[in-house]
Amino acid sequence: MKRILILFLLFVLTKANAQNEFAANAFYNDFKKIYTDGQTGFSACKGAKRKTGFEELASEYQAKIMLPLADSGKVVVPVSGNPYVIYYFEPDKMRLKIDQLGLNLRDALVTAFDKPLYTRAETTIINNYPFTNTLYYTEPFENPSATAIFRQCIYFSNGKYYLSFEMRGRRE
């Protein structure tokens, strides 16, 4: 039984350390296109308007331009503050797999952004499960979360771990 468990763990670790699925020109090009669009309010990325019930706080739109490997995405335009686009990736029951996906996304993000990025990561426990929030900054000593240009979250919900990635833009 121990051998089967060890073989299984080796298999999972080998799969987790496999090639970075984000490290491709398609990801880099789409990332740059979305980031550039974000500097003018995500006008090209905005799709159909979504009804949320919170229209007095923010407007939401389907994302027309998707990051490769993302399952879904939306553009959020708050009444005050800057707009952002958020992408969601396929969930998994194994935290290790989602952690590796998050690391791969981070590595591809650093390559695509082509400028130094500084991260602040914090993990808290919510209902006995870890919630990891990673903020990306362009300056080493920035700290308020409002000044982060990217945000990546790993969280647990309904029996699965999820990865989301948020890219903040600017008002038009």
Side-chain angles (χ1 to χ4, degrees):
M1 185 67 175
K2 286 184 183 180
R3 285 184 187 181
I4 293 173
L5 180 61
I6 290 171
L7 289 174
F8 176 73
L9 287 174
L10 285 174
F11 174 76
V12 169
L13 290 174
T14 302
K15 284 291 194 182
N17 290 323
Q19 182 179 358
N20 184 344
E21 58 269 72
F22 293 104
N25 285 333
F27 177 85
Y28 303 142
N29 294 337
D30 287 348
F31 170 83
K32 289 174 185 176
K33 186 186 313 179
I34 296 164
Y35 179 78
T36 301
D37 185 43
Q39 302 312 297
T40 58
F42 295 108
S43 57
C45 198
K46 283 183 200 171
K49 190 167 184 175
R50 299 171 47 156
K51 188 156 180 75
T52 65
F54 298 101
E55 282 75 17
E56 64 277 358
L57 299 175
S59 299
E60 289 188 8
Y61 304 86
Q62 292 178 339
K64 283 196 316 190
I65 306 170
M66 294 294 292
L67 274 179
L69 302 177
D71 279 352
S72 61
K74 64 182 177 181
V75 176
V76 179
V77 181
V79 171
S80 64
N82 290 323
Y84 59 93
V85 62
I86 186 165
Y87 295 101
Y88 301 95
F89 297 86
E90 185 178 340
D92 198 276
K93 291 183 178 186
M94 292 183 57
R95 171 74 189 221
L96 179 64
K97 189 172 182 181
I98 296 301
D99 281 343
Q100 186 63 49
L101 188 66
L103 288 173
N104 291 346
L105 177 59
R106 183 197 67 197
D107 290 346
L109 171 67
V110 168
T111 301
F113 194 63
D114 202 28
K115 296 177 191 163
L117 286 172
Y118 303 91
T119 62
R120 306 276 187 287
E122 180 178 72
T123 299
T124 56
I125 303 299
I126 299 175
N127 294 328
N128 295 321
Y129 292 99
F131 175 87
T132 302
N133 191 28
T134 304
L135 300 170
Y136 296 82
Y137 301 92
T138 55
E139 299 296 324
F141 300 108
E142 286 182 292
N143 199 15
S145 62
T147 62
I149 59 171
F150 308 118
R151 178 179 177 215
Q152 181 176 310
C153 294
I154 295 176
Y155 56 94
F156 184 84
S157 180
N158 297 323
K160 293 182 179 179
Y161 290 95
Y162 291 82
L163 170 66
S164 67
F165 176 71
E166 182 179 309
M167 188 181 306
R168 299 191 179 159
R170 296 185 183 154
R171 291 251 177 221
E172 296 180 65

